[in-house]
Amino acid sequence: MKKHLTIKNRHLSTLLTLLLVSICYTLTPFAQEDKQSVELPKGAKARLGKGRIYDVKYTDDGMRLFVATSIGIWIYDATTYKELALLKKHSGRVYCLAFSPDGTVFISADAHGYIRVWDAKTGKQKREMHNHHSFNCIALSSDGRTLATGDVKGRICFWYPYTEDNRKVLRPQDIENSTVYSLAFSPNGSLLAIGNRNVISLWDATTGEDIKTLEGHNSAVRSVAFSPDGKTLASGSWDKSIRLWDPDSGELKQILTENIDAIRSVVFSPDGSIFAAGDYSGTIHLFWTDTGERMQTLKGHTAEVVALSFSADMRTLASGGADGSIHIWEVVSGKNKHTLDEHYGEFTSLTVSADGKMLATPSRNLSLYLWDATSGALQKIYNKIDYEGVYDVAFNPNGKTFATTSAGKIVHLWDIDTEKRVKILQAPQKGVIYVSYSPDGKTIIGAVSDYTVRMWDVETGTQKYIMFGHKGRVQDVIYSPDGKTIASCSSDKTVRLWDAMTGEAKQTLSGGMSDDLCIAFSPDSKTLASSSATRNILLWDVATGELKQVLVSGDIASSLAFSPDGKALAVGSSRGSVLIIDGSSPRWWGSFSGHRYSVNDVAFVSDGKVLASRSADGVVYLWDIVIEE
């Protein structure tokens, strides 16, 4: 018999257990108001994305799957894979989840430093605690009485979820000013393992005394986990290795590096016989704990695996990826049993094609998504389009190519059909942040971090003009619909108008504006709308530079867009709402609520009857619009 088919005796009991049929449980339903939160907001026809995944956890009975995302906590039925609830009390991205030993309580922590204690059966919040800095990781002790948190400032805190005690702050010299990436309590509650820069610190979990330091990794230790018997500590690092340690002696037991990329997540099975690790390439590695031999290699994710969780019966493994998918794997066969998708990464911008039929949304997971602008159906995914991250996207009016900007200080041109890069535009030493095509598609303008606006010839890829004048960061740059004028806004509290043919300055608009501006041209190119330091929208005459009118929006604007006929002005607000006002008079037509953070992009699509909005919460909504006559 071939070696890879041989089942060793010491593993036989584990495999037999995995093959048993699971016991069915009665699922306690969530409250009606929580079920309603899964539905789309009033007026929305589609939600693009469900928020970026940060953590995934099975409940103790294995009947539900909790997913921490940028818009809240999604809860799925682990049998039917149906959405049960979306818990939205967190005001920031939910980074971490932890369940109490008896499974009755779960704890979540977010980017704004809030900890929330929940009833795991009903989804009702029981308690709230607050830290001054964003959390990277949390760990709950085996008795459920102590919660350890690690934040971006290298501070470890002990919290007590069931008492009125606030917290105990621990910050020893060896990790001061070092980000804490991972935490784990030993099963007996005596030790706390801390993964940070390139070492693992083992503390006394009661006193916070530093007992020993485990050295060997040469990059960030992103995940640590104790085996259920406490005899093994696994650590996964960005140095593309997994290490197994004896936590009592501090000795290194084994190093695993073969075919392994940078590791983000490590977890043991409930009986400790298997451990799994997810890496940056999207691969999941399963190993036998006692020998370190590889059991399975699971491939399906196209981006980093950020979280892993075994079901209680060990039959399945759930994995959450930066590619926006959750895979449910059969542990024995390695087959992908089910996939939950649509958890696409936080979108960094929103762009509409010239014909209004397509939307482009790049995300923080290095991918770019193309959508049908009317239905919201996903058309295409460009994976790992730029390893530096994509800031902005602009469609060529010809519908054949689009441009992207990145932290790599380069403007790329891509073929929509072939998904291949067709050209690189000469870029300055400083990064290009925002880009826009001219209406004829012959030139591209970009907002550069050196306070300039630059223009490139699309055909040759060479730079035509550099436009100087701003004394602060250029926050946006756009062409007028007739292609004659370029408008740029800056943190210097001004809007500048430039001649699109010569690059020469035409007008400087100032007065009543803030250092965080947004702008939009009317369809006839005669009016430019800009946000102000107050709740006002300023309408400027493009030809003369004179202020024509002030519209009251009801909230501070973070984005603006005119409807195709110019009758309506959409306003994305800093508080997460989308307002529709008359484009020429101080009259309100309506508003939409659904986003959780500032709405940074709004755009009319199709024939103007649909409005797209993007927020820092990581999703895009499509709204049905009715423009009054």
Side-chain angles (χ1 to χ4, degrees):
M1 183 177 290
K2 293 183 180 179
K3 184 177 180 181
H4 70 275
L5 293 178
T6 302
I7 300 176
K8 299 183 178 181
N9 290 334
R10 61 178 175 273
H11 298 147
L12 184 58
S13 61
T14 298
L15 290 172
L16 290 174
T17 300
L18 292 170
L19 290 169
L20 293 175
V21 178
S22 300
I23 299 173
C24 293
Y25 295 89
T26 300
L27 185 64
T28 302
F30 277 76
Q32 184 65 26
E33 58 266 28
D34 292 320
K35 287 186 177 180
Q36 292 295 330
S37 69
V38 177
E39 303 300 324
L40 291 172
K42 184 178 180 180
K45 61 180 298 182
R47 178 198 288 119
L48 311 187
K50 290 169 129 181
R52 182 176 182 175
I53 300 168
Y54 289 103
D55 202 359
V56 173
K57 289 283 191 301
Y58 272 111
T59 53
D60 201 42
D61 60 12
M63 298 303 292
R64 285 172 292 179
L65 187 67
F66 284 57
V67 184
T69 74
S70 58
I71 65 169
I73 303 167
W74 285 93
I75 303 175
Y76 291 92
D77 184 305
T79 303
T80 65
Y81 308 110
K82 300 295 185 182
E83 302 162 350
L84 296 177
L86 172 60
L87 307 182
K88 299 188 290 186
K89 282 189 176 292
H90 278 285
S91 61
R93 300 171 182 89
V94 184
Y95 284 159
C96 321
L97 297 172
F99 277 86
S100 63
D102 61 7
T104 61
V105 168
F106 77 94
I107 299 172
S108 54
D110 70 24
H112 291 168
Y114 282 92
I115 298 169
R116 298 185 187 276
V117 182
W118 309 79
D119 185 302
K121 299 293 184 183
T122 65
K124 294 294 186 182
Q125 181 178 304
K126 302 178 71 172
R127 192 179 176 202
E128 176 187 296
M129 298 175 283
H130 186 235
N131 188 45
H132 295 298
H133 301 289
S134 173
F135 295 111
N136 275 342
C137 50
I138 63 175
L140 193 60
S141 61
S142 55
D143 61 7
R145 296 181 179 179
T146 304
L147 179 75
T149 62
D151 65 29
V152 294
K153 295 296 183 180
R155 182 170 54 181
I156 306 293
C157 294
F158 283 176
W159 306 76
Y160 309 98
Y162 307 117
T163 70
E164 293 304 316
D165 296 335
N166 186 14
R167 62 180 177 176
K168 181 179 180 181
V169 179
L170 305 168
R171 191 175 182 180
Q173 187 66 32
D174 66 329
I175 65 165
E176 188 169 355
N177 297 320
S178 172
T179 298
V180 178
Y181 290 108
S182 49
L183 293 169
F185 278 103
S186 61
N188 64 9
S190 64
L191 294 176
L192 178 68
I194 305 158
N196 50 79
R197 285 169 295 191
N198 53 16
V199 300
I200 302 161
S201 301
L202 294 181
W203 289 3
D204 184 298
T206 302
T207 65
E209 179 186 355
D210 191 5
I211 298 174
K212 59 174 66 77
T213 300
L214 310 181
E215 299 180 343
H217 287 296
N218 56 36
S219 188
V221 180
R222 298 302 301 269
S223 185
V224 290
F226 281 97
S227 60
D229 62 8
K231 294 181 179 180
T232 303
L233 175 69
S235 60
S237 169
W238 226 235
D239 65 6
K240 301 183 180 181
S241 76
I242 303 164
R243 294 173 185 250
L244 302 181
W245 312 81
D246 183 318
D248 293 327
S249 66
E251 294 182 0
L252 179 64
K253 298 165 69 173
Q254 198 160 9
I255 303 175
L256 305 173
T257 59
E258 186 178 357
N259 298 321
I260 291 173
D261 205 333
I263 297 295
R264 173 65 181 272
S265 49
V266 174
V267 64
F268 281 92
S269 63
D271 71 352
S273 63
I274 303 167
F275 71 90
D279 72 20
Y280 184 78
S281 73
T283 302
I284 300 167
H285 312 272
L286 269 63
F287 299 93
W288 295 109
T289 302
D290 58 354
T291 65
E293 292 181 66
R294 187 179 292 272
M295 176 189 173
Q296 295 280 6
T297 300
L298 311 178
K299 292 182 178 291
H301 289 288
T302 58
E304 163 184 22
V305 179
V306 300
L308 295 166
S309 180
F310 278 98
S311 62
D313 61 12
M314 290 174 48
R315 295 180 69 240
T316 60
L317 174 72
S319 61
D323 59 2
S325 68
I326 300 163
H327 291 283
I328 310 298
W329 307 89
E330 291 181 350
V331 174
V332 173
S333 68
K335 292 181 180 179
N336 183 12
K337 184 178 180 181
H338 192 79
T339 299
L340 300 167
D341 52 20
E342 299 183 9
H343 285 281
Y344 305 113
E346 297 157 75
F347 301 128
T348 56
S349 67
L350 165 67
T351 304
V352 182
S353 60
D355 61 8
K357 295 181 179 180
M358 193 157 41
L359 287 173
T361 55
S363 73
R364 295 185 189 278
N365 69 348
L366 311 183
S367 298
L368 185 142
Y369 305 85
L370 293 185
W371 314 80
D372 182 282
T374 302
S375 68
L378 182 61
Q379 302 294 301
K380 191 176 294 188
I381 300 176
Y382 300 80
N383 287 311
K384 297 181 179 178
I385 192 168
D386 194 311
Y387 287 93
E388 298 286 347
V390 179
Y391 283 154
D392 196 19
V393 178
F395 281 103
N396 190 318
N398 66 16
K400 297 179 180 179
T401 59
F402 62 86
T404 62
T405 66
S406 74
K409 306 170 186 175
I410 296 173
V411 179
H412 300 277
L413 302 186
W414 304 85
D415 185 287
I416 291 178
D417 293 328
T418 66
E419 303 179 23
K420 293 182 179 180
R421 185 173 58 192
V422 295
K423 192 168 294 183
I424 297 176
L425 303 185
Q426 296 177 6
Q429 292 182 349
K430 300 290 184 178
V432 182
I433 305 171
Y434 302 104
V435 287
S436 179
Y437 269 97
S438 60
D440 60 11
K442 294 182 178 180
T443 58
I444 288 178
I445 48 173
V448 184
S449 55
D450 63 0
Y451 305 167
T452 65
V453 174
R454 304 191 182 218
M455 181 187 293
W456 291 268
D457 183 284
V458 172
E459 181 65 29
T460 64
T462 58
Q463 187 172 273
K464 292 183 66 175
Y465 303 121
I466 303 177
M467 290 163 251
F468 297 96
H470 282 300
K471 295 179 174 59
R473 181 173 60 90
V474 181
Q475 298 165 329
D476 201 3
V477 57
I478 56 176
Y479 272 99
S480 60
D482 63 9
K484 296 179 180 179
T485 306
I486 296 168
S488 59
C489 58
S490 166
S491 60
D492 63 11
K493 302 182 182 181
T494 68
V495 174
R496 290 178 180 261
L497 302 181
W498 314 84
D499 189 298
M501 298 300 294
T502 65
E504 295 180 357
K506 296 172 62 177
Q507 304 284 351
T508 298
L509 315 180
S510 62
M513 290 188 282
S514 69
D515 58 0
D516 191 9
L517 292 167
C518 52
I519 52 178
F521 275 106
S522 62
D524 62 7
S525 302
K526 295 180 180 180
T527 302
L528 180 78
S530 72
S531 65
S532 72
T534 65
R535 298 171 185 267
N536 297 332
I537 306 297
L538 309 181
L539 301 183
W540 304 88
D541 186 295
V542 173
T544 65
E546 295 180 356
L547 180 62
K548 300 197 302 183
Q549 195 169 3
V550 178
L551 306 178
V552 179
S553 70
D555 204 347
I556 297 175
S558 48
S559 53
L560 299 169
F562 279 96
S563 60
D565 60 8
K567 293 181 178 180
L569 181 65
V571 181
S573 85
S574 59
R575 294 186 180 182
S577 59
V578 179
L579 314 173
I580 309 297
I581 61 178
D582 191 295
S584 60
S585 67
R587 183 171 59 143
W588 281 50
W589 284 352
S591 64
F592 300 103
S593 299
H595 286 296
R596 314 211 26 236
Y597 315 131
S598 175
V599 179
N600 297 326
D601 285 300
V602 287
F604 284 90
V605 299
S606 189
D607 55 2
K609 295 180 180 180
V610 176
L611 179 75
S613 61
R614 178 194 70 90
S615 166
D617 60 13
V619 300
V620 170
Y621 283 111
L622 299 183
W623 309 93
D624 274 319
I625 301 294
V626 177
I627 304 299
E628 296 183 2
E629 296 297 333

